[in-house]
Amino acid sequence: MQSSSSDRPEGDREMQTSEDLTAMTTLSTRGTSSFQSSSDSSQSSGSLMDKGSKVQPPRCTRVRECARRFGAWMYPLSRGDRGNAQPAGGAPRLEALDAPRWIASIQIVCYHMYGHKEAFSRYATWFAVWTQLFFLLSGFVLAYAELAKPPKTGNSRLSLLRYVRRRLTVIYPAFFLALLLRVTYHPGKTPFEWSMLPLHAMLMQSWLPICIATESGSITCSPWLFNGEAWFLSVLLIFWLFLRPLAEMFRQRSLTFCSVTIVVCWIWSYVYQIAGNHNRLASALGFGELGSIIVMVAIRATPIGFFNVFIAGVAAARIFIVVATKDADTGGSVSLETRKVALAATNAPKVLRYGCCVGYIIYAGMVAFLTKYIKSHYYFFHNGGMLPVMLLVLLGAAIGTDPLAVWVFRSKPFMVLGRISYLQYLMQHVLQGWIAFTFGWDNNPVAQAVFIPALLVFSYICQRWVEKPYTLYQRWRLEKGVRGCDDVVIERLESGFAATAACLRCSR
């Protein structure tokens, strides 16, 4: 769940919205001008109006002005120079990608909170499979940020530790707040749970499927302790270590190579289905109940189960660069010499330009007609089987000409929802646990009904007054060159690694 928000507004994508708003402004201006002309004429000829009375504009003009102001508020990215803004790196920001992340996040929240409801339980499992979008989106956005600028070498290239630190700066404050709140009112109950807390604090809880059988006969696993939803961040931390090498590998790859890579990643999803369904792999290895749970956790909550999705995201970024961008200076294809990238949405295939609509229509069809297969093929759908649908949505939102991307995802409400999607996902059980502890949950329909609105408000408060101030503080540190303890730790680690590497070379 990474933010696309990490690297965020576009050119070609706002064209339709900008033109509509310009037309509305022109109509409003013309209406006002004609009214003023007639008003001046009537005053000069001595109309019946009192000399000091205030002239009221015609009703149609007021309506146009209200519509213009509403349009300017609803679509802020279409205002003048904001619509074509680009960061210093020269890559157009992909603002519409935040909304699909929120849609995925709210589906998972509904699955967790209302999956047991009789009317909803039949379809709830579909909502659970959208976790994979976070890995796909992270691979796509971070690889796009790398591929849209010339490759860096030498001192201009961030070290691996500093690159990971930059990524953690975006996600860790909200994660730590959620973990702290969760531990405060729902602390560990066993020595095993307390022993796993340091791993959670360091985002290492899902690196390995650590599980233990308790005295009561239940099995507890590290990834889902405390704030269990945060397991995906631990997995992303591993993937970030390989992001830049993967991006460089795909930098000069052809469209065919990237497409084949995505197909292979999608087919690989069925390997998880074969291994996990009916505990086939655990049975083949002679594992008992604990071993079966470990295999299940390894597939569903560790890097082993989602590396194919992350790689598909990186390959999709290269496809996006090839089919939907151009060199801003020459108008040609993006190359190693390209300094600034511009969108070229009209060059993309039509199925991708309308990818959001096509993808969500296919998803609706799957929910309507394939629900009887979702539970028997859960591992497949959960661990990459939804790649075709999600890639259509992702590329459609990135290209920005899809009607959903233009009129919905880039609207003010969905931009706000997109910003809080990460915190909404992390805080779901934090807030629900507090409500259940204070007011009850299972037999409290009022609490269940107001939960989603309360979660949106709570997430907005956390984003506005915790995450955003910390991000601004980190930017200030970077601009002013203020060093912190994290810089000292990284420098010492890098010095230690360099000394170790030198010793190894000398020993050879």
Side-chain angles (χ1 to χ4, degrees), residues 100-119:
R101 183 177 62 181
W102 179 82
I103 294 173
S105 173
I106 199 65
Q107 288 186 83
I108 299 168
V109 170
C110 291
Y111 166 75
H112 286 155
M113 301 303 156
Y114 311 111
H116 62 285
K117 296 292 183 181
E118 184 177 353

Side-chain angles (χ1 to χ4, degrees), residues 135 235-243 246 302-303 306-307 310:
F135 303 111
V235 174
L236 278 179
L237 186 57
I238 292 293
F239 290 161
W240 290 342
L241 301 176
F242 301 96
L243 184 279
L246 280 172
T302 71
F306 293 94
F307 73 89
F310 188 78

Side-chain angles (χ1 to χ4, degrees), residues 112-158:
H112 286 155
M113 301 303 156
Y114 311 111
H116 62 285
K117 296 292 183 181
E118 184 177 353
F120 179 61
S121 59
R122 183 186 177 196
Y123 304 101
T125 309
W126 285 110
F127 287 28
V129 303
W130 282 84
T131 306
Q132 62 196 280
L133 181 71
F134 302 150
F135 303 111
L136 184 69
L137 187 60
S138 180
F140 176 86
V141 171
L142 296 181
Y144 165 70
E146 294 293 322
L147 297 175
K149 58 189 179 185
K152 293 183 178 180
T153 58
N155 295 332
S156 62
R157 181 180 175 87
L158 284 176

Side-chain angles (χ1 to χ4, degrees), residues 156-228:
S156 62
R157 181 180 175 87
L158 284 176
S159 66
L160 181 59
L161 289 178
R162 294 186 184 277
Y163 178 78
V164 172
R165 192 271 300 271
R166 177 175 290 184
R167 305 267 65 81
L168 288 174
T169 298
V170 178
I171 69 164
Y172 194 81
F175 159 75
F176 188 77
L177 175 63
L179 178 63
L180 183 63
L181 292 174
R182 185 70 172 167
V183 172
T184 299
Y185 75 85
H186 188 74
K189 298 181 177 64
T190 66
F192 173 75
E193 292 181 4
W194 283 115
S195 67
M196 292 295 103
L197 183 57
L199 294 183
H200 280 256
M202 294 185 290
L203 282 175
M204 298 170 61
Q205 72 270 30
S206 290
W207 290 8
L208 295 172
I210 304 174
C211 301
I212 189 173
T214 63
E215 295 180 357
S216 62
S218 61
I219 296 176
T220 303
C221 298
S222 173
W224 297 321
L225 291 176
F226 301 106
N227 194 15

Side-chain angles (χ1 to χ4, degrees), residues 278-295:
H278 301 301
N279 295 321
R280 288 192 183 95
L281 179 59
S283 300
L285 297 174
F287 290 166
E289 182 182 5
L290 178 60
S292 299
I293 295 296
I294 290 175
V295 171

